[in-house]
Amino acid sequence: MKLSVSGRASAAAAVAAVTLLATGFTAGAAPASEPVAVTAAPDIPVANVKAHLTELQSIATANGGNRAHGRAGYKASLDYVKAKLDAAGFTTTIQQFTASSRVGYNLIADWPGGDTNQVVMAGSHLDSVSSGAGINDNGTGSAAVLEAALTVARTDYQPTKHLRFAWWGAEELGLVGSRYYVNNLSAANRARISGYLNFDMIGSPNPGYFIYDDDPAIEKTFKDYFTGIGVPTEIETEGDGRSDHAPFKSAGVPVGGLFTGASRAKTAAQVAKWGGTSGQAFDRCYHSSCDTTANVNDTALNRNADALAHAVWTLSQ
Ligand code: TRP
Ligand code: ZN
């Protein structure tokens, strides 16, 4: 709902953070006669997202070809992400848990400031399966969430709400890390989370553009972004409940997210709207050894990273 540009840009925002006028994201919160200032999300540089993928690939290659729970490649991935966030000024926390007799880790990064009674979270699983490097699943989500967080810091974005970013361990063992996090939140802290946005597989090589059909306000925020760039979307149906938003949803937290498809085949109708190869999986390297940096569609990754930023910025004001 782009209305008009006020012409005031944040001094800190060297990266085009334009101030727009729009009504608030909560339906009915602001009457049309009293618009609230909204800072548009900056563009997320896809080259930076890809640089994180290159690092995750190198980590896998140096550690037996994977970044799986309980393996050295997982911890190295966590250390890489944490170091970037610490250098950028985030408050990071490592949460340990045990799964399949091995230690697992979640990484939580809080951006100082904002109303901690209204927390907007964005997260992704950082572990791969043991059969490959897990670059589309889920280096893509992990790298895009990381670059969005680093862009928050780079632009010194100071939203009304509090921002928290998360990288989950042991998703591939059955959402273990995210469930552990949600189960260990007090009821009060759970109630403070106004929304959780999940990004799991957002650069599939034969991509579709799928939006989770959960919280309507979050879903609309993602839809608005894709409508604005002229890309049709569909409701995500391949894996309802198969990623880290599920524990949040079960706990009553509003959720949403993006997905570009896994082992399901792209139909002729989907090729007509998105291009690509009919009858072939969205990701034919899903959970296999060919899920490398070659297994990513840059256009899909770029669009989804920008949609992620649009949602984080829009929902946190
Ligand atoms: N990480 C998920 C898994 O291994 C990937 C996945 C499959 C997914 N289907 C999904 C993620 C639908 C989000 C939505 O099962
Ligand atoms: Zn997976």
Side-chain angles (χ1 to χ4, degrees):
M1 56 174 83
K2 212 184 302 172
L3 298 182
S4 65
V5 179
S6 80
R8 187 168 57 83
S10 159
V15 182
V18 182
T19 302
L20 303 173
L21 293 177
T23 54
F25 102 88
T26 306
S33 56
E34 292 174 33
V36 294
V38 175
T39 303
D43 179 74
I44 302 299
V46 73
N48 294 9
V49 181
K50 290 188 69 182
H52 301 315
L53 293 182
T54 301
E55 286 294 333
L56 294 175
Q57 177 69 64
S58 299
I59 287 168
T61 302
N63 289 282
N66 69 74
R67 304 181 300 100
H69 167 72
R71 313 290 188 90
Y74 182 74
K75 186 58 164 52
S77 300
L78 189 96
D79 291 344
Y80 170 74
V81 175
K82 183 177 184 294
K84 293 277 181 194
L85 294 162
D86 286 339
F90 281 85
T91 303
T92 59
T93 309
I94 292 178
Q95 184 179 43
Q96 281 195 28
F97 56 89
T98 303
S100 300
S101 308
R102 291 175 190 253
V103 181
Y105 310 91
N106 292 327
L107 175 63
I108 311 296
D110 283 275
W111 180 237
D115 180 2
T116 52
N117 285 315
Q118 302 179 81
V119 180
V120 173
M121 282 190 82
S124 57
H125 77 85
L126 185 57
D127 63 315
S128 71
V129 290
S130 55
S131 50
I135 299 303
N136 185 38
D137 179 16
N138 184 31
T140 55
S142 298
V145 174
L146 173 58
E147 192 55 32
L150 297 178
T151 303
V152 165
R154 213 183 290 129
T155 60
D156 194 25
Y157 177 42
Q158 297 294 339
T160 304
K161 297 183 186 172
H162 180 78
L163 291 178
R164 181 176 299 153
F165 299 91
W167 290 263
W168 309 117
E171 186 272 353
E172 299 290 4
L173 277 61
L175 321 179
V176 178
S178 54
R179 184 171 293 126
Y180 185 86
Y181 176 82
V182 171
N183 285 345
N184 284 279
L185 280 174
S186 65
N189 283 340
R190 196 187 312 135
R192 290 185 174 102
I193 304 174
S194 17
Y196 171 72
L197 313 177
N198 195 59
F199 303 93
D200 186 358
M201 304 181 71
I202 57 168
S204 301
N206 187 27
Y209 294 87
F210 300 104
I211 300 176
Y212 301 1
D213 181 26
D214 278 292
D215 179 73
I218 297 174
E219 184 181 8
K220 182 184 185 311
T221 305
F222 284 126
K223 272 190 186 160
D224 285 348
Y225 181 78
F226 284 101
T227 300
I229 61 169
V231 174
T233 60
E234 290 185 11
I235 290 171
E236 190 284 303
T237 59
E238 186 171 2
D240 216 24
R242 273 174 69 189
S243 193
D244 299 297
H245 56 295
F248 286 87
K249 182 176 172 156
S250 300
V253 175
V255 302
L258 300 175
F259 178 58
T260 52
S263 49
R264 198 177 270 182
K266 201 182 227 181
T267 65
Q270 289 170 327
V271 169
K273 62 173 88 165
W274 295 320
T277 309
S278 180
Q280 188 180 97
F282 294 104
D283 181 359
R284 59 181 165 170
C285 293
Y286 177 61
H287 285 187
S288 75
S289 60
C290 59
D291 188 7
T292 64
T293 46
N295 190 44
V296 171
N297 180 291
D298 291 354
T299 300
L301 183 64
N302 185 33
R303 290 171 173 169
N304 280 284
D306 289 338
L308 181 168
H310 173 78
V312 167
W313 262 253
T314 306
L315 297 173
S316 60
Q317 300 183 46

